[in-house]
Amino acid sequence: MGRRILLIGGLAAGTSLALPQVANAARPSAVTLDPFTLGVASGDPGPDGFVIWTRLAVNPVAEDGLGGMPDAAIDVQWQVAADERFRRVVRSGSASARPSSAHAVHVEVTRLEPGREYWYRFRVGRFVSRVGRALTAPSPDSLVSSLAMAFVSCSQYEHGYFTAYKRLAEDRPELVLHLGDYQYEYRAGVYVAPGGNPRDHEGPETETLANYRQRHAQYKSDPDLQDAHAVAPWLVVWDDHELDNNWADEVYEKPEIPQPNFLARRAAAFQAYYENMPLRRSSVPRGIDLQLYRRIRWGRLATFHLLDTRQYRDDQGCGDGYKDCPAAVDPSRSITGAEQEEWLIDGFHRSRARWDVLGQQVFFAQRDNNNGPAKVTSMDAWDGYVASRQRITQGWVDAGVRNPVVLTGDVHAHWASDLKLDYDDPTSTTVGSELVCSSITSGGNGADSIPGDHPFLQINPHLRFYNNLRGYVRTTITPEEMRADFRCLPYVQEPGAEVFTRASFAIEDGKPGLHQVADRPPSTAVRARSADADPAQVIADTVAWETERP
């Protein structure tokens, strides 16, 4: 589809390192209430620095999306230190937080040492933000001994408390990947989890810039989310709910409900996303376009290829949903677009990393939910774009990628799978691995299960693990292996749940595929699925959880 540019006034204002003062700038002393209610964040680390972020708001859920701030630029001081008590400040400066960017501040800190911890904070007048921890990437030629990385997705504020973010912060990762659905677009009462919603969204369904800014601010006000942002740098990519459920490029979800202003809605969502995420200036949006796919290198240990499977995809085949659909195998259709696909495969050929990790949104491996001759799969996932998946998988095989691993969110459950060039032949060679994180809250409490009892695992023998509790995945990456701990909470619709590891898998260097290294029985506080549950009902439940059609 053609690209149409919608210009929004002040799109890039307030996002560079040190903006000039403007005539209507307010003195910091004009801010009389704590403006750091949305916390701090860091992101996109390189060997010499990272992005640090904050956004000023004295009333986060103000309907105009501007956080109760004055209609004037505010000077924000920042510091980066080599110690948590700021006895050794190594970089400092100021940035202008402007109303045109909802008083967001993005600082690209440079000239730091590679492969070490730093701490950062902001100040406006007498108010000082909390302290955040960030890390620089190792030097490009360094094969470091380990990386502690966690990945998450799908945090529906209404469906539960963000305890999983708090538990993740307590694990002290060095890097966090958020794989999409950071926030949800619905107005209160539209998308209701089983058992009811313990919290409500403020404002209407997000359609305008003010709506999206208000929604992001409501999420960022959550103290558990703030803890997770403050503990480590994040690499973020979106999925669908940052804009509209199951959107595809310039196509909105439900054609029977016209959205004549969808492109303006998309531009607003993209601007608010940038304003609220620790992204570099290379991701400043231009109308309806935002450059999100990018590559982050962690020395020679790992390369993270961060993908965007929404902005460039063809529309879902056969009207979306789970279908046996001829369009799914159409070789002309793409989930990434040709340019991003070429960029990714070129990255495979250039990579010298021990691990090549794809951080992306939707299920990669084949998941057929039909035990007969028909192939019934999700048109919103890579199963709806089989040729795209085949080209990319063949691309890493042809490039001789040493250890390809796909990280996935979206489906509100933990999964693990072996990746194949031919999923219809269970004996075919395994050429990679996929790890899928559950949701932070989306879908409500969920339920525990015997790990192998889901019918999908019998129909698709390359699928190795499933669990429907909420949580995240904690990984430890070393030159010898990548270990993944599937971290689970027994409930999220009340605060305070403890976390436990439901299962752990390892991928050995040079040996594609997963092997289980630990398991733990369900907690006594967890409701386990009955071993004789009706397989057809389990499949129906899975489809319902994933289609998310309120």
Side-chain angles (χ1 to χ4, degrees), residues 165-460:
Y165 280 137
K166 183 177 184 65
R167 301 301 176 227
L168 179 153
E170 291 168 352
D171 283 344
R172 299 281 292 178
E174 297 167 290
L175 189 67
V176 177
L177 273 63
H178 199 294
L179 302 179
D181 294 345
Y182 183 95
Q183 58 108 75
Y184 281 67
E185 74 272 32
Y186 306 113
R187 71 178 186 274
V190 170
Y191 183 16
V192 180
N197 291 349
R199 309 195 286 186
D200 285 331
H201 281 151
E202 296 280 348
E205 176 153 336
T206 51
E207 295 184 352
T208 68
L209 181 56
N211 298 158
Y212 283 107
R213 284 169 165 172
Q214 179 191 39
R215 187 61 50 82
H216 275 284
Q218 184 178 16
Y219 278 56
K220 279 288 201 312
S221 300
D222 186 279
D224 294 339
L225 175 54
Q226 291 187 15
D227 285 351
H229 269 299
V231 77
W234 283 36
L235 308 180
V236 298
V237 288
W238 55 39
D239 192 17
D240 51 339
H241 291 289
E242 287 86 355
L243 171 52
D244 179 43
N245 184 49
N246 282 19
W247 66 281
D249 194 13
E250 296 180 10
V251 181
Y252 50 86
E253 178 196 9
K254 297 177 181 177
E256 70 275 14
I257 305 176
Q259 290 193 46
N261 298 320
F262 180 71
L263 295 182
R265 181 182 186 181
R266 172 171 154 166
F270 285 13
Q271 179 172 348
Y273 185 81
Y274 176 79
E275 288 171 351
N276 287 279
M277 295 295 160
L279 289 164
R280 292 183 179 271
R281 283 167 290 195
S282 55
S283 293
V284 170
R286 297 179 62 249
I288 66 166
D289 297 309
L290 186 153
Q291 179 66 46
L292 195 61
Y293 68 83
R294 60 204 190 281
R295 197 170 279 122
I296 303 293
R297 294 178 174 86
W298 205 263
R300 290 193 296 116
L301 181 65
T303 295
F304 294 92
H305 310 267
L306 300 168
L307 305 188
D308 179 349
T309 63
R310 288 289 166 192
Q311 191 174 178
Y312 314 104
R313 68 158 69 190
D314 290 294
D315 194 15
Q316 292 92 342
C318 298
D320 207 355
Y322 273 77
K323 304 282 178 61
D324 183 6
C325 177
V329 295
D330 182 344
S332 69
R333 298 178 73 254
S334 174
I335 196 172
T336 61
E339 183 177 325
Q340 183 178 189
E341 183 178 299
E342 182 180 352
W343 166 87
L344 178 59
I345 293 174
D346 179 67
F348 292 152
H349 284 274
R350 294 174 181 272
S351 177
R352 298 297 179 266
R354 186 66 57 98
W355 302 89
D356 279 87
V357 181
L358 280 65
Q360 58 92 50
Q361 296 78 21
V362 293
F363 215 99
F364 193 86
Q366 179 175 294
R367 283 191 310 161
D368 185 0
N369 78 5
N370 184 277
N371 212 6
K375 187 175 290 184
V376 181
T377 59
S378 171
M379 293 302 99
D380 190 55
W382 289 81
D383 274 330
Y385 306 83
V386 170
S388 263
R389 178 173 64 200
Q390 190 72 13
R391 289 190 296 267
I392 286 170
T393 308
Q394 189 68 57
W396 77 54
V397 171
D398 292 346
V401 169
R402 182 165 175 159
N403 295 299
V405 180
V406 178
L407 306 183
T408 300
D410 182 58
V411 292
H412 304 177
H414 286 316
W415 297 81
S417 59
D418 295 333
L419 300 179
K420 306 275 187 176
L421 280 170
D422 183 2
Y423 290 101
D424 296 329
D425 177 6
T427 66
S428 65
T429 302
T430 295
V431 297
S433 306
E434 181 176 21
L435 304 169
V436 184
C437 63
S438 187
S439 65
I440 293 292
T441 54
S442 302
N445 288 335
D448 204 359
S449 59
I450 299 169
D453 78 348
H454 198 290
F456 278 23
L457 275 68
Q458 281 74 56
I459 299 170
N460 306 271

Side-chain angles (χ1 to χ4, degrees), residues 526-543:
V526 175
R527 177 173 60 87
R529 182 180 296 280
S530 168
D532 60 357
D534 177 13
Q537 186 60 51
V538 176
I539 290 174
D541 287 346
T542 301
V543 171

Side-chain angles (χ1 to χ4, degrees), residues 151 355 403-405 407 415-419 430 432-435 462 464-465 473-486 501-519:
F151 64 99
W355 302 89
N403 295 299
V405 180
L407 306 183
W415 297 81
S417 59
D418 295 333
L419 300 179
T430 295
S433 306
E434 181 176 21
L435 304 169
H462 54 276
R464 302 288 304 281
F465 176 73
V473 178
R474 178 181 66 188
T475 73
T476 303
I477 306 173
T478 71
E480 295 75 35
E481 71 170 17
M482 177 185 292
R483 175 178 171 129
D485 300 322
F486 288 89
T501 298
R502 189 62 179 85
S504 297
F505 287 81
I507 308 161
E508 295 181 16
D509 174 38
K511 299 178 181 179
L514 299 152
H515 67 269
Q516 193 163 353
V517 295
D519 199 356

